Amino acid sequence: MALLMDTRFLLRKVKDLRSLTPKRNRVKEKWAATHPKYPPTSLALQHFDATYSVQLGKMWPSVRVALLSERKYGALLNNFSHDAVLADLQEKGCRDFINDADTEAQPCLEQVSEEESSDVPVKKPDSDGQQLSPPQLSPNIKCVVFPRGDITRFKPARPDTYRLLGYYLLDAASVLPCLALNVQEGHNVLDLCAAPGGKTLALLQTQAIRFLCVNDTSVSRTLRLRKVLQSYVPKEFLTDENIRITSFDGTRWGDIERNSFDRVLVDVPCTTDRHSLTEDDNNIFSKTRTGERRKLPQVQLALLLAGIEATCPGGEIMYSTCTLSQIQNLSVVEQAIHLAREKHGIHLEVVDLQPFTHMFRKTFHFAPDLHLGEMVIPHLAANFGPIYMCKLRRLT
């Protein structure tokens, strides 16, 4: 019994590592400097509770739990790799959610409310009043996921004989804006905020782009983007004739190239809700980044306007974020449509994405009743997102 008591005492002493440190070498921990009273993740949760409980109503508790839980990933297959990874992943229970999309015609439901009262033009798919045909998707983009409720993790991709990785792990919902952009053969495409590179890789998988311009304001993030491309794309494809990588200020792109691109992806910086709730490092809710966070809607609006100017008449723009915030989503799109018309004489219409999102209802949960764009909302059974996307077509 005495031996047991001595052992317990020793364990208590070992847990306090300071007891093993000579007294002259001990340093008093500065709690205020090393442990902030309100870490960024706590500030983000307070902000989201106050904002999204009003915006999402009864949905917020379930969305909140999903955001605080481990996210689910998808594996974007690399068509440039020579390894047959699809069969291996399917043997483990994965499925290609794009190939498995619901291609049945969607019932045409009458849309009333905000769309009719808004001055934002919304392009509805042609229909005879009964059914909406599903849109055509690129056959070359493949992204596999584990079944609903299965939280199995993907193993890191391994290089093939040419040192190219077989797949890229990302939130599977982030592939949707690239799919919905509908890149066609011979298109010139601009990815205005490209780093870290997941959506850029998805665009390249279409194998239809004549010229791709990828840009990110941050030089360090652009370097990371280059490394990603070098790990997935053959060197002979990464030539000046095929792709251009830049680190310009995206908000000023309208001064660099106007009316030049058939498709433009504007995946803007945002509050990145899931990261803000789970990681203190590089968190937009850090007190040192308060000013940067408050300016986000202005930056997002400037980036979207620059993307609109860069698009040629008849071209299409995809605006996307990874936040649930209406201020960063719908409000930015509405302001951009108004300012493009009033200041630049550019007329736009919003392309209805409901037939598109209807195809993927087996894989993702979508927010109901958005009058502009579509949004994937996190759910424990399918913990992807959040991803907001709104597609615009330039008319003039």
Side-chain angles (χ1 to χ4, degrees):
M1 187 67 181
L3 179 61
L4 180 62
M5 294 298 293
D6 289 344
T7 304
R8 288 178 180 173
F9 177 77
L10 181 61
L11 285 174
R12 282 201 302 269
K13 296 294 287 181
V14 168
K15 284 181 181 178
D16 185 2
L17 295 179
R18 288 177 301 174
S19 64
L20 303 178
T21 307
K23 206 165 190 177
R24 64 180 179 275
N25 294 333
R26 294 180 194 175
V27 178
K28 183 178 179 181
E29 187 176 16
K30 296 181 180 179
W31 187 88
T34 56
H35 299 286
K37 189 174 183 180
Y38 299 106
T41 48
S42 297
L43 295 175
L45 186 58
Q46 292 174 18
H47 176 81
F48 294 157
D49 279 336
T51 306
Y52 296 156
S53 60
V54 177
Q55 178 183 318
L56 298 176
K58 293 180 180 179
M59 290 191 299
W60 172 235
S62 63
V63 174
R64 185 183 194 267
V65 170
L67 280 172
L68 291 169
S69 304
E70 183 177 353
R71 76 159 58 184
K72 194 168 180 177
Y73 281 88
L76 174 69
L77 301 190
N78 183 20
N79 292 323
F80 299 104
S81 172
H82 292 75
D83 281 353
V85 295
L86 178 58
D88 293 338
L89 292 172
Q90 286 175 333
E91 285 181 4
K92 296 175 182 176
C94 296
R95 65 180 181 88
D96 178 6
F97 80 84
I98 301 171
N99 186 56
D100 195 33
D102 185 357
T103 55
E104 293 182 6
Q106 177 190 5
C108 183
L109 303 177
E110 291 187 5
Q111 298 277 330
V112 210
S113 72
E114 297 177 66
E115 281 184 4
E116 295 185 355
S117 61
S118 173
D119 62 348
V120 177
V122 180
K123 172 66 175 176
K124 292 291 181 182
D126 296 331
S127 68
D128 55 8
Q130 296 300 320
Q131 289 187 327
L132 301 176
S133 299
Q136 296 297 313
L137 304 177
S138 170
N140 296 322
I141 299 181
K142 298 179 177 65
C143 185
V144 300
V145 295
F146 284 99
R148 290 173 66 90
D150 188 338
I151 57 172
T152 304
R153 296 181 181 180
F154 287 95
K155 292 182 178 180
R158 292 182 297 181
D160 63 8
T161 53
Y162 296 92
R163 309 299 299 169
L164 298 177
L165 298 176
Y167 53 83
Y168 182 88
L169 297 181
L170 76 177
D171 187 325
S174 63
V175 177
L176 295 181
C178 304
L179 273 173
L181 195 54
N182 190 27
V183 174
Q184 299 294 317
E185 191 72 34
H187 273 170
N188 294 325
V189 180
L190 168 64
D191 189 351
L192 193 55
C193 311
K199 292 184 176 67
T200 302
L201 277 179
L203 291 171
L204 286 171
Q205 300 310 312
T206 63
Q207 299 182 347
I209 298 174
R210 183 175 69 178
F211 180 76
L212 176 64
C213 180
V214 291
N215 179 75
D216 198 275
T217 305
S218 168
V219 175
S220 60
R221 285 168 60 87
T222 305
L223 290 174
R224 181 183 170 191
L225 170 63
R226 286 183 182 274
K227 290 181 180 178
V228 168
L229 292 179
Q230 289 166 1
S231 299
Y232 289 87
V233 183
K235 290 181 180 179
E236 56 268 23
F237 188 86
L238 298 176
T239 62
D240 295 339
E241 291 77 24
N242 297 323
I243 188 168
R244 185 173 78 223
I245 304 173
T246 59
S247 297
F248 298 139
D249 180 359
T251 62
R252 303 183 62 84
W253 200 273
D255 300 331
I256 301 171
E257 285 180 303
R258 289 173 179 260
N259 311 325
S260 302
F261 296 95
D262 303 289
R263 298 288 187 269
V264 175
L265 176 62
V266 188
D267 182 40
V268 295
C270 62
T271 49
T272 53
D273 293 358
R274 192 182 288 273
H275 175 85
S276 295
L277 288 174
T278 56
E279 299 288 342
D280 283 325
D281 291 340
N282 195 30
N283 195 312
I284 193 70
F285 282 87
S286 171
K287 289 186 177 181
T288 59
R289 301 181 67 185
T290 302
E292 180 186 350
R293 188 176 74 249
R294 288 175 177 168
K295 291 179 181 178
L296 274 176
Q298 297 172 246
V299 174
Q300 293 160 346
L301 176 59
L303 286 167
L304 180 52
L305 284 171
I308 290 169
E309 289 184 80
T311 309
C312 60
E316 295 177 347
I317 307 101
M318 178 62 70
Y319 176 79
S320 68
T321 72
C322 49
T323 177
L324 298 164
S325 169
Q326 285 185 346
I327 295 175
Q328 299 176 63
N329 294 339
L330 286 77
S331 297
V332 169
V333 173
E334 288 176 334
Q335 291 181 68
I337 292 173
H338 175 75
L339 290 176
R341 181 176 65 244
E342 298 299 319
K343 290 192 173 183
H344 304 287
I346 298 174
H347 292 266
L348 302 157
E349 69 179 4
V350 180
V351 179
D352 183 24
L353 292 176
Q354 280 195 357
F356 173 81
T357 56
H358 178 82
M359 300 173 67
F360 303 107
R361 58 185 178 170
K362 293 189 296 184
T363 305
F364 305 104
H365 280 257
F366 292 96
D369 306 324
L370 289 186
H371 74 277
L372 278 180
E374 298 289 335
M375 182 164 64
V376 176
I377 56 175
H379 187 279
L380 276 179
N383 204 0
F384 303 106
I387 292 289
Y388 173 80
M389 53 186 175
C390 185
K391 186 176 181 180
L392 305 174
R393 180 175 293 126
R394 180 170 170 174
L395 303 176
T396 60

